[in-house]
Amino acid sequence: DSGVTQTPKHLITATGQRVTLRCSPRSGDLSVYWYQQSLDQGLQFLIQYYNGEERAKGNILERFSAQQFPDLHSELNLSSLELGDSALYFCASSSGSGGGTDTQYFGPGTRLTVL
Amino acid sequence: LAKTTQPISMDSYEGQEVNITCSHNNIATNDYITWYQQFPSQGPRFIIQGYKTKVTNEVASLFIPADRKSSTLSLPRVSLSDTAVYYCLVGFMDSNYQLIWGAGTKLIIKP
């Protein structure tokens, strides 16, 4: 158990809908990262927050947005969903502000299925 | 252009030593190289991290040559449970700093 929690574990919705994924980092960690992993694909980095502020941005679509709240939990909002958005969404946390020395601890993921 | 390159897949047998290499030509000067392991439908898990020469922990070794343009993850005496995808993670300095994940190496261990 990494100490990172994600809810829900599974989510099934229809095209055009909007969903919110939630992540609680490990106690004491200030950074939260979001990743998308489609079937049998590698990790696609979406976005990182550090202590409430956006720190780094990857290949995040304009239909997707995220935020980190004062209690350090984070939410990833996905809107106008398309079939291609079906994937595993992982959240990770780290104690520092990011960078190669900062070990990331991953949650169990949320499996999103768009029908 | 910041990029890491790993083999897409590798096969080996139980009890063998497995070496997986990641190339990263433009690694940032002061950055570390980190390797993660991922089982199906689980989040990646930290294995080992290093800056130069050799690092060893209870599960793996990491070899980094002096020019730091590549790194090799070494798994001694693998077992069936080592079947997983292995990712390298490296920091690059282009116009700005980026952390780049490798595409992953799918390692299959056979009995």
Side-chain angles (χ1 to χ4, degrees), chain A residues 35 37 41-43 45 88 90 98-104 106-108 111, chain B residues 30-32 34 36 38 41-46 49 87 89 97 99 101 103:
Chain A
Y35 293 89
Q37 188 171 43
Q41 299 293 310
L43 290 164
F45 168 66
L88 258 175
F90 288 108
T101 59
D102 217 10
T103 300
Q104 297 182 36
F106 283 76
R111 183 173 294 280
Chain B
N30 296 319
D31 221 344
Y32 279 60
T34 310
Y36 288 79
Q38 185 182 28
S41 298
Q42 294 185 26
R45 184 179 69 168
F46 171 88
Q49 182 181 79
Y87 294 94
L89 175 62
Y97 177 81
L99 259 183
W101 287 81

Side-chain angles (χ1 to χ4, degrees), chain B residues 49-107:
Chain B
Q49 182 181 79
Y51 181 76
K52 62 180 179 181
T53 61
K54 178 183 174 183
V55 179
T56 298
N57 63 21
E58 62 276 8
V59 298
S61 293
L62 181 60
F63 299 92
I64 304 167
D67 66 5
R68 299 189 353 106
K69 292 186 177 182
S70 67
S71 59
T72 299
L73 173 72
S74 182
L75 304 173
R77 297 179 301 281
V78 293
S79 65
L80 296 177
S81 62
D82 292 315
T83 294
V85 179
Y86 293 83
Y87 294 94
C88 61
L89 175 62
V90 180
F92 291 89
M93 184 57 77
D94 247 334
S95 51
N96 56 353
Y97 177 81
Q98 302 176 70
L99 259 183
I100 304 290
W101 287 81
T105 298
K106 187 169 187 176
L107 175 64

Side-chain angles (χ1 to χ4, degrees), chain A:
Chain A
D1 184 1
S2 67
V4 178
T5 59
Q6 291 186 246
T7 55
K9 290 191 85 165
H10 302 276
L11 198 48
I12 302 175
T13 189
T15 55
Q17 295 299 303
R18 172 189 169 95
V19 297
T20 298
L21 313 183
R22 183 187 167 104
C23 169
S24 292
R26 292 188 324 154
S27 177
D29 281 359
L30 298 177
S31 276
V32 169
Y33 310 75
W34 285 99
Y35 293 89
Q36 180 192 55
Q37 188 171 43
S38 301
L39 190 63
D40 291 333
Q41 299 293 310
L43 290 164
Q44 294 294 319
F45 168 66
L46 297 178
I47 197 163
Q48 178 204 353
Y49 281 83
Y50 172 69
N51 206 20
E53 300 289 326
E54 183 182 303
R55 180 76 174 176
K57 211 166 187 175
N59 301 319
I60 188 166
L61 299 172
E62 285 192 13
R63 300 183 286 109
F64 296 0
S65 65
Q67 56 183 324
Q68 186 179 29
F69 295 86
D71 67 353
L72 300 176
H73 91 272
S74 178
E75 292 181 357
L76 178 67
N77 300 297
L78 314 175
S79 61
S80 303
L81 284 167
E82 302 175 359
L83 295 178
D85 297 327
S86 295
L88 258 175
Y89 290 83
F90 288 108
C91 164
S93 74
S94 69
S95 57
S97 58
T101 59
D102 217 10
T103 300
Q104 297 182 36
Y105 296 88
F106 283 76
T110 293
R111 183 173 294 280
L112 173 66
T113 302
V114 182
L115 301 175

